[in-house]
Amino acid sequence: MTFLKSISDIHLDILKEVGNIGAGHAATALSTLLNKKIDMKVPSVRVVSFDEVMDLAGGPDNVVASVFLRIEGDAPGSMFFILPLPQAEKYIGQLTKNQSFSFAEEQDNELALSALQELGNILSGSYLSSLSDFTKLSLYPSVPALSIDMVGAVISFGLLELSQVSDYAIVIDTALDEEEAQLPDSVNGHFFLLPDPDSFHIIFSALGVRIDA
Amino acid sequence: MHKTAEIIKVGIADMNIVMVPDLIRTTGLGSCVGVVLYDQVREIAGMAHIMLPDSSLSRAEPLNKAKFANTAIKELLNALVKTGARPAGIKAKIAGGAQMFQFAGSNDMMRIGTRNVEAVLQELKELRIPVIAQDVGGNSGRTIEFNPKTGLMQIKTVNKGNSEI
């Protein structure tokens, strides 16, 4: 974990602010889109093992809806917008005016999946563009891809770049919460930002902080 | 004096060994490949959750051998033999190597599942370990569980239900 040795608390605080600004804009976008009040938790930045990354999203065999995109440009990385299935069903219902939508019965409903993909597209796009404004870095999102599957299978794909230099990841995690949501479990929507290893010093230096090697 | 069967877990980029009556399991294989080596006569099995095809991709020290196809399988084989498996009786079953996301991009990482499977099969061939069964590719995540008593691997997927190889 050599690249992690030079990361201090100050650096982690900066990454927290990065998550704060990005996810704040995404939460506003979600709120506008659904015309609902959306709460955002204070982002957390953690240095965790790959297995712990899975646990942050409910464990490796927890089935979730996830929108994944690659960040290209000055500071490449991976980004996930992850929703528990009941919450994803609810959002699809609101966006497509089909309140009874369920993944179990309509797993091939193209309109529903497309609506969810577009939701992920809008949210991660607003996350990234605010990050780009803030850091003055060019960051381009790839077309997002949607998957309804196990957390482990989905997130391990975003860990591939990091896995070449380390067994640990720095995860910038922000949870979103619909204020009046009465969902049985407390797992909410999550944004995971996983910068590629070489992107950390680019982000820090864009914000005027050096990493002493 | 019956021992209750336990399920030994294998994390991502991790490996472990199990003996009857215990079972061994890894959860949420996507592009990763789960490799099981087993000696059914001695009722021993080992499992590795492999993330990347080749350790030359690594820029990390020390090397986590369980992460790469070319290092994990040798390491697992050695550990099995040390635990009492007969080298000539060892067979393999593998699962995983899916492509979870469809991207148009040309990035080599996008087809990592296929590359992982190719690297695993190549390594098994070099070590002369017969591959008895495989369930690879596709675009679904898999959870696998192996029973060293029966030599069977149970595979669970979200969209396609359960199967056994």
Side-chain angles (χ1 to χ4, degrees):
Chain A
M1 56 189 281
T2 36
F3 93 100
L4 291 174
K5 279 187 192 142
S6 47
I7 304 265
S8 68
D9 285 350
I10 297 169
H11 296 116
L12 293 180
D13 279 343
I14 287 168
L15 293 177
K16 202 181 270 187
E17 190 53 22
V18 162
N20 210 1
I21 288 171
H25 280 78
T28 309
L30 182 62
S31 179
T32 311
L33 203 62
L34 299 171
N35 198 21
K36 291 244 159 76
K37 193 167 178 195
I38 302 289
D39 281 345
M40 189 189 84
K41 301 240 168 72
V42 176
S44 70
V45 175
R46 289 181 245 193
V47 180
V48 289
S49 73
F50 292 165
D51 285 321
E52 287 168 318
V53 179
M54 316 296 175
D55 291 339
L56 291 176
D61 56 352
N62 184 29
V63 179
V64 292
S66 65
V67 176
F68 165 61
L69 58 86
R70 280 290 297 168
I71 303 163
E72 283 145 22
D74 292 338
S78 296
M79 189 164 169
F80 291 92
F81 176 54
I82 292 183
L83 285 173
L85 293 189
Q87 202 169 2
E89 285 169 342
K90 217 171 140 216
Y91 288 168
I92 289 172
Q94 287 164 9
L95 291 168
T96 63
K97 313 274 183 247
N98 168 14
Q99 302 294 347
S100 62
F101 174 81
S102 100
F103 284 111
E105 283 155 37
E106 304 176 64
Q107 44 172 287
D108 297 323
N109 184 329
E110 272 188 39
L111 179 69
L113 296 181
S114 170
L116 191 58
Q117 188 161 358
E118 188 52 25
L119 178 73
N121 193 14
I122 291 169
L123 299 193
S124 35
S126 66
Y127 190 126
L128 266 193
S129 65
S130 69
L131 209 55
S132 183
D133 289 347
F134 176 55
T135 56
K136 304 278 183 284
L137 294 169
S138 299
L139 303 170
Y140 311 103
S142 73
V143 175
L146 174 71
S147 174
I148 316 289
D149 214 306
M150 303 170 195
V151 163
V154 168
I155 293 193
S156 57
F157 200 79
L159 296 173
L160 290 174
E161 295 289 339
L162 281 167
S163 75
Q164 295 170 42
V165 297
S166 169
D167 288 314
Y168 292 83
I170 296 178
V171 185
I172 305 167
D173 172 17
T174 314
L176 299 179
D177 209 349
E178 199 180 316
E179 212 176 39
E180 64 232 69
Q182 297 287 325
L183 290 168
D185 55 77
S186 60
V187 186
N188 297 298
H190 278 267
F191 277 104
F192 288 131
L193 181 62
L194 297 165
D196 286 356
D198 296 337
S199 296
F200 285 102
H201 77 269
I202 296 167
I203 295 172
F204 292 136
S205 68
L207 296 172
V209 180
R210 282 188 9 182
I211 299 187
D212 298 318
Chain B
M1 286 293 285
H2 285 290
K3 183 181 176 286
T4 341
E6 277 181 56
I7 298 172
I8 308 297
K9 286 189 181 148
V10 177
I12 184 168
D14 185 20
M15 60 170 70
N16 222 326
I17 286 186
V18 71
M19 282 189 266
V20 166
D22 296 342
L23 308 174
I24 191 161
R25 176 196 286 169
T26 198
T27 332
L29 288 166
S31 60
C32 299
V33 177
V35 177
V36 170
L37 301 184
Y38 63 105
D39 176 349
Q40 214 177 328
V41 174
R42 297 277 162 86
E43 302 185 326
I44 305 174
M47 184 187 282
H49 185 138
I50 292 168
M51 261 185 115
L52 291 167
D54 198 288
S55 58
S56 64
L57 290 167
S58 175
R59 292 183 276 152
E61 292 289 338
L63 190 73
N64 174 4
K65 287 185 178 169
K67 199 190 286 177
F68 306 95
N70 68 321
T71 49
I73 297 173
K74 281 188 195 90
E75 186 80 0
L76 192 61
L77 178 64
N78 289 341
L80 268 183
V81 171
K82 248 183 223 163
T83 321
R86 308 155 305 146
I90 290 175
K91 293 167 183 161
K93 290 192 179 183
I94 69 171
Q99 183 165 355
M100 299 304 296
F101 297 97
Q102 309 296 326
F103 280 103
S106 57
N107 185 342
D108 223 17
M109 276 298 160
M110 294 303 163
R111 50 180 296 274
I112 195 77
T114 317
R115 289 171 58 205
N116 279 337
V117 172
E118 283 165 5
V120 163
L121 290 174
Q122 177 63 31
E123 188 63 24
L124 289 169
K125 192 177 165 194
E126 276 171 25
L127 296 167
R128 296 171 187 279
I129 301 172
V131 180
I132 302 303
Q134 53 178 303
D135 177 27
V136 297
N139 48 22
S140 293
R142 294 169 172 91
T143 285
I144 60 171
E145 190 175 284
F146 189 84
N147 184 341
K149 178 84 185 168
T150 61
L152 289 173
M153 181 192 275
Q154 276 200 347
I155 302 163
K156 284 183 204 165
T157 59
V158 174
N159 301 314
K160 287 184 269 161
N162 301 347
S163 64
E164 203 167 56
I165 61 172

